Amino acid sequence: MKRIGVLTSGGDAPGMNAAIRAVVRTALSMGIEVLGIKRGYNGLLEKDVIKLDSHSVSCIIQTGGTILRTARCKRFYDDKNIEIAVKKAEELGIQGLIVIGGDGTFAGAKKLSSLGLLTIGIPGTIDNDIECTDYTIGFDTACNIALEAIDRLRDTAVSHEKCTIIEVMGRAAGFLALDVSLAAGATDVLLPEHKSDIENEVCKNILQRKMQGKRHNIIVVSEGFGINIHELAAMIKEKTGMEARTTVLGHIQRGGPPTVMDRINATRMGNYAVKLLADNRGNRVVANQRGKIIDYDIEEALSMKKTIDFNDLVICKEISG
Ligand code: F6P
């Protein structure tokens, strides 16, 4: 292995830069050159690359976003473009590729591997929706950002005796919403994985707490639950008489410095990924299981479905006070 490529794809996640840094520095320490590929798979199709030396990844371990930029590449849905990408990689002298992203990114990696380009996936998404790994890069930081926001919103909710409704990210997965709800002490949580009846559960709970003297509520809604939180606020007002305020956290959850956990996870995963390529292994996804870094066949990783820990949802409900 003389030269490898690295790219970030899909939504950015804090810690992606730490992973790029680990990839570059590990490879260089083994005498392998690294090309940074810009804007996900688009950069491979367009041969938009930059040679990464040790200095080019200095002072990025603490930064959010991705120095390589990122994109979702629709052209990769067409198998003809995968063949073109493999050819471009050959022209660039890229013998192995590391892709940092979520399941969409891994679907592309699987196809590249099947055409002979050794490709390794590193899970990077704030959604934490990759089953083979306990933690994806960016999840911990996003949880902490959302938690800090909710702690602040609580002050106002308590002072004004109102409901505060917070929408957190998670396209189709409630991992972020559930962990944040446990950590923030949310009174209610709405997740894509669990059907909730707004009138008979959420509104009833609010009224019951009101009767017991609790006059504020913290309601965390996962984006994937698929409700307009402004409409939810109006419904709560109508059914309970309680004022509700809404906050959509949005992309703020994806920015800023990564936490200790994300930096360490990213560093270990980046280092491990290079070693897989150096052993001429491809078609693998790197994973963190109980703190240990291991690897999975991409196809196997993609076929596994992650679901929330329903016991955590029970705990949320039991101690919502
Ligand atoms: O996959 C990460 C994520 O932040 C999801 O939680 C969210 O649904 C989506 O990306 C938003 O993507 P975009 O960058 O297009 O706004």
Side-chain angles (χ1 to χ4, degrees):
M1 192 65 56
K2 293 259 185 313
R3 179 181 284 174
I4 62 171
V6 59
L7 62 82
T8 49
S9 168
D12 66 332
M16 281 182 164
N17 281 333
I20 296 167
R21 173 180 175 271
V23 166
V24 171
R25 296 257 170 99
T26 305
L28 293 178
S29 77
M30 300 171 85
I32 301 169
E33 279 181 7
V34 185
L35 292 184
I37 298 163
K38 299 276 194 72
R39 298 178 190 84
Y41 291 120
N42 295 305
L44 193 52
L45 290 168
E46 288 150 20
K47 291 214 278 189
D48 187 3
V49 298
I50 176 178
K51 194 167 170 191
L52 296 173
D53 60 14
S54 187
H55 182 66
S56 59
V57 292
S58 268
C59 298
I60 64 165
I61 194 168
Q62 81 286 10
T63 59
T66 157
I67 60 162
L68 295 176
R69 310 295 178 249
T70 187
R72 296 183 171 94
C73 179
K74 291 208 175 107
R75 282 181 288 172
F76 246 53
Y77 297 139
D78 181 345
D79 287 351
K80 268 197 204 117
N81 285 324
I82 312 272
E83 284 171 30
I84 294 172
V86 172
K87 208 163 155 280
K88 303 272 174 171
E90 262 171 40
E91 287 166 12
L92 289 163
I94 292 175
Q95 297 166 298
L97 180 65
I98 295 173
V99 299
I100 308 166
D103 50 8
T105 307
F106 297 163
K110 188 184 116 186
K111 290 182 182 171
L112 289 172
S113 295
S114 73
L115 294 182
L117 176 61
L118 296 180
T119 306
I120 307 290
I122 295 182
T125 162
I126 64 160
D127 288 357
N128 203 26
D129 56 349
I130 309 285
E131 163 63 10
C132 67
T133 189
D134 294 344
Y135 290 104
T136 55
I137 295 168
F139 175 67
D140 187 60
T141 307
C143 280
N144 279 286
I145 295 168
L147 182 62
E148 189 192 331
I150 296 170
D151 285 348
R152 288 168 192 270
L153 291 165
R154 172 199 293 275
D155 290 346
T156 297
V158 173
S159 305
H160 285 262
E161 301 186 311
K162 287 191 167 75
C163 295
T164 187
I165 305 174
I166 308 104
E167 182 184 297
V168 301
M169 273 189 162
R171 190 198 312 273
F175 303 102
L176 183 53
L178 184 55
D179 274 20
V180 156
S181 296
L182 273 180
T187 50
D188 297 275
V189 53
L190 301 178
L191 305 171
E193 294 86 351
H194 177 77
K195 274 211 172 102
S196 298
D197 183 323
I198 305 300
E199 195 174 337
N200 291 313
E201 288 177 41
V202 180
C203 294
K204 253 193 179 163
N205 291 345
I206 291 171
L207 284 173
Q208 202 174 343
R209 285 186 212 111
K210 197 173 169 186
M211 278 185 340
Q212 290 162 351
K214 184 160 182 165
R215 303 187 64 86
H216 71 272
N217 292 276
I218 297 163
I219 303 165
V220 174
V221 181
S222 172
E223 174 194 359
F225 183 75
I227 193 170
N228 177 317
I229 61 168
H230 311 296
E231 287 172 13
L232 175 61
M235 203 187 297
I236 288 173
K237 169 82 176 147
E238 189 199 324
K239 302 286 176 200
T240 70
M242 280 197 82
E243 289 280 346
R245 295 287 187 262
T246 52
T247 307
V248 177
L249 290 183
H251 289 111
I252 197 163
Q253 293 156 104
R254 293 216 313 238
T259 56
V260 171
M261 182 163 157
D262 275 327
R263 293 184 201 195
I264 292 176
N265 201 26
T267 299
R268 288 185 177 144
M269 286 183 167
N271 176 270
Y272 190 98
V274 173
K275 288 179 177 164
L276 285 174
L277 285 182
D279 280 348
N280 278 314
R281 299 187 65 207
N283 200 35
R284 310 297 293 171
V285 170
V286 178
N288 175 336
Q289 284 187 1
R290 289 172 210 90
K292 198 171 163 10
I293 307 298
I294 54 167
D295 57 283
Y296 269 86
D297 177 83
I298 292 189
E299 185 139 18
E300 192 186 351
L302 283 172
S303 69
M304 297 157 111
K305 174 102 183 83
K306 194 171 197 168
T307 188
I308 56 156
D309 183 341
F310 284 93
N311 193 45
D312 279 348
L313 187 58
V314 172
I315 295 175
C316 263
K317 287 182 196 293
E318 280 174 356
I319 62 177
S320 64

